[in-house]
Amino acid sequence: MKAMHEQVTIRTADGDCPTHVFTPDGSAGGPWPAVIFFMDGLGIRPVLFAMGQRLADLGYLVLLPDMFYRGGAYDPPDVRAIFATGTFREKLGHLFATIDNARAASDTAAFLAHIDARTDVSGRKVGATGYCMGGAMALAAAGTYPDRIAAAASFHGGNLATDDALSPHRLAPAMRGRIHVAGADADASYPPEMAERLERALADAGVDHHCGIYPGALHGWTMADFPVYDEPAAERHWAELETLFATALK
């Protein structure tokens, strides 16, 4: 029986990226369609492993790369302490400085090459999903590799349509896959005017997309280790993600 969770190192243009790979529980070895899981801003930790396995159990091989690898090794953060003390930037700011959408898109070339080299992956179509900062990375991947990314999702992603040169909405004309964006309610990193700007960019580019807001759900609602975790909204997110990838990848 194949291990459901393995750890690999993927060589990128900038170094070695530790990556966790999940496959369906109880499966004899695939092959399965592949999905890249772009992490949120609190780094690699157990809650992401649980999410990666749950996604894999829907019938996918899931790559969870550590997008903070350029900053070196770090201990899993004490999420509750960070939220309680408000030390988010103090604890993780040095890691945030090592990554942006352009570097994430560059890394994605290496992730796709790893996927292509595996014997347990079926087809060339790949999905991407991202959370918080990973939402923008998933969209950037969709716009950078339109021939590979068949579907990309952003959940409580922020800064998706800004004046920044690396804003993912600027890549809308290149996107060919299905785009799904679910924003948090009253989220300073994704206010209504930004949501409108993103949807307008997608619509003007003719991208197959769905954009919406989860009423009452706060930034980070999918993360079970966050104090703002919202189980009904998180389950809705899983249902939407399942439908998106089943339609685009299977």
Side-chain angles (χ1 to χ4, degrees):
M1 188 69 67
K2 183 179 176 63
M4 295 179 296
H5 178 189
E6 64 176 305
Q7 297 182 51
V8 300
T9 299
I10 297 178
R11 183 70 179 177
T12 75
D14 291 334
D16 292 331
C17 178
T19 302
H20 296 264
V21 183
F22 302 89
T23 53
D25 185 5
S27 175
W32 310 277
V35 174
I36 303 171
F37 182 139
F38 289 100
M39 69 189 205
D40 67 349
L42 269 77
I44 297 296
R45 60 196 192 282
V47 72
L48 299 189
F49 299 155
M51 294 174 71
Q53 188 60 58
R54 179 167 178 175
L55 180 54
D57 287 341
L58 296 177
Y60 304 98
L61 181 141
V62 178
L63 256 62
L64 171 63
D66 187 347
M67 303 308 293
F68 287 155
Y69 72 91
R70 292 175 178 84
Y74 58 92
D75 293 327
D78 184 339
V79 174
R80 294 191 180 279
I82 287 175
F83 275 98
T85 60
T87 55
F88 181 80
R89 293 293 174 185
E90 176 185 335
K91 298 292 186 182
L92 300 169
H94 67 292
L95 296 175
F96 267 101
T98 68
I99 187 65
D100 56 31
N101 293 335
R103 281 177 276 194
S106 173
D107 292 342
T108 302
F111 305 154
L112 292 171
H114 176 82
I115 288 169
D116 291 343
R118 299 184 67 102
T119 60
D120 51 3
V121 171
S122 62
R124 284 181 54 79
K125 290 184 177 181
V126 175
T129 186
Y131 300 83
C132 301
M133 73 170 191
M137 294 176 187
L139 298 189
T144 306
Y145 306 96
D147 59 330
R148 299 301 307 276
I149 306 299
S154 167
F155 292 97
H156 47 82
N159 300 315
L160 303 182
T162 71
D163 291 336
D164 190 278
L166 301 182
S167 177
H169 83 288
R170 299 181 184 278
L171 298 172
M175 296 176 184
R176 296 293 178 267
R178 169 79 173 166
I179 302 298
H180 185 94
V181 177
D185 201 2
D187 184 350
S189 70
Y190 189 62
E193 59 270 21
M194 186 184 296
E196 294 170 7
R197 186 178 188 182
L198 174 63
E199 184 151 23
R200 185 167 60 251
L202 295 171
D204 288 349
V207 176
D208 181 10
H209 72 280
H210 170 80
C211 296
I213 298 294
Y214 279 33
L218 301 178
H219 185 85
W221 83 79
T222 64
M223 299 292 156
D225 58 352
F226 280 19
V228 298
Y229 175 66
D230 184 327
E231 185 174 3
E235 290 303 311
R236 175 184 167 187
H237 130 268
W238 282 113
E240 292 179 354
L241 198 57
E242 181 174 9
T243 298
L244 175 69
F245 290 153
T247 301
L249 300 179
K250 295 183 178 179

